Amino acid sequence: MKKMSRNQSSEITWEKAKGHLKTITEHKIYVMKECFKVGLYWQGLTHDLSKYMPTELLEGFRYYDDGKSSPNNGERRDKGYSEAWMHHKGRNRHHFEYWLDYREPKKKDGNNSELFPLQAVQMPRKYVAEMLMDRIAASKNYNKETYTQHDSLAYFERGMGHYLMHPQTKKELHGMLRILDERGEEELMRFVRDYYLKGYPI
């Protein structure tokens, strides 16, 4: 099989466009169904709408790879960054990367310029719950028939040390993924709907 060059592999084709639209729409439907189970109706309906905006959609068409991984990874390999991802995380509050801000400077560096280090802000619970549903849906979408209730926790724990996420947000998300892993989806949905989203301590 002839290996495609970078330019060939990033061309937009009708097949890639159809495949990407199918992938993001299936994912959106998965998340919507999961959100509805816990009462997040508006978030379920509006989840990931920015993926249909030109900045994200065209790059998705360009770097689609049969749904095996996010097109954002292909864009990063090609450009060194993903404009689609930066657009996406800045418009969707269920991504912990949305909740990064500069901390008030406390000291100055050797050039007497103020330092503004990044800090992770604690996420409201309704967005943590949507992030949870997003992760479950992504595991189902990518793993398809091989999906198990253990996949989302395993994926999270593999990258946990690299996440710039508020400690309380990380604790809450990790705890709920463990419920999924140990007790299954039905028990998790009951916990999120009847306990977590009602503000009880975790």
Side-chain angles (χ1 to χ4, degrees), residues 129-174:
E130 186 181 354
M131 174 168 59
L132 173 67
M133 304 310 160
D134 189 36
R135 286 170 176 267
I136 295 169
S139 293
K140 289 180 177 179
N141 213 25
Y142 283 122
N143 297 335
K144 300 192 186 320
E145 64 276 355
T146 66
Y147 169 79
T148 74
Q149 68 191 46
H150 312 296
D151 292 347
S152 299
L153 176 65
Y155 181 83
F156 178 76
E157 289 185 338
R158 281 198 300 273
M160 200 162 79
H162 305 290
Y163 295 146
L164 183 54
M165 186 185 294
H166 190 277
Q168 183 61 28
T169 298
K170 186 181 290 188
K171 176 184 175 184
E172 292 172 7
L173 178 60
H174 191 212

Side-chain angles (χ1 to χ4, degrees), residues 101-118:
D101 196 7
Y102 289 108
R103 187 166 56 241
E104 186 69 21
K106 295 181 179 178
K107 60 180 179 179
K108 298 184 178 181
D109 65 18
N111 297 321
N112 291 324
S113 60
E114 294 182 318
L115 298 176
F116 290 87
L118 280 174

Side-chain angles (χ1 to χ4, degrees), residues 17-19 21 66 77 83-84 89 94 98 100 108 112 118 132 139 152 180 187 191 200:
K18 284 196 303 183
L21 276 172
D66 295 326
R77 286 190 295 270
E83 185 178 357
K89 72 182 177 67
H94 64 277
Y98 177 97
L100 298 178
K108 298 184 178 181
N112 291 324
L118 280 174
L132 173 67
S139 293
S152 299
L180 173 65
E187 185 66 26
F191 175 83
Y200 293 111

Side-chain angles (χ1 to χ4, degrees), residues 25-40:
T25 303
E26 284 180 349
H27 172 75
K28 180 169 173 45
I29 291 170
Y30 273 135
V31 176
M32 182 179 70
K33 289 178 177 177
E34 303 296 331
C35 283
F36 282 10
K37 290 176 185 176
V38 297
L40 295 175

Side-chain angles (χ1 to χ4, degrees), residues 75-102:
E75 187 185 8
R76 285 189 192 96
R77 286 190 295 270
D78 209 1
K79 298 179 178 177
Y81 65 94
S82 173
E83 185 178 357
W85 169 244
M86 290 189 288
H87 183 275
H88 187 76
K89 72 182 177 67
R91 288 159 177 78
N92 293 276
R93 296 183 181 190
H94 64 277
H95 287 292
F96 68 88
E97 295 91 343
Y98 177 97
W99 299 91
L100 298 178
D101 196 7
Y102 289 108

Side-chain angles (χ1 to χ4, degrees), residues 176-193:
M176 289 187 287
L177 288 172
R178 288 185 61 188
I179 293 173
L180 173 65
D181 181 73
E182 296 169 8
R183 304 182 197 173
E185 191 170 313
E186 187 175 338
E187 185 66 26
L188 172 66
M189 296 303 169
R190 185 181 302 114
F191 175 83
V192 174
R193 182 184 63 246

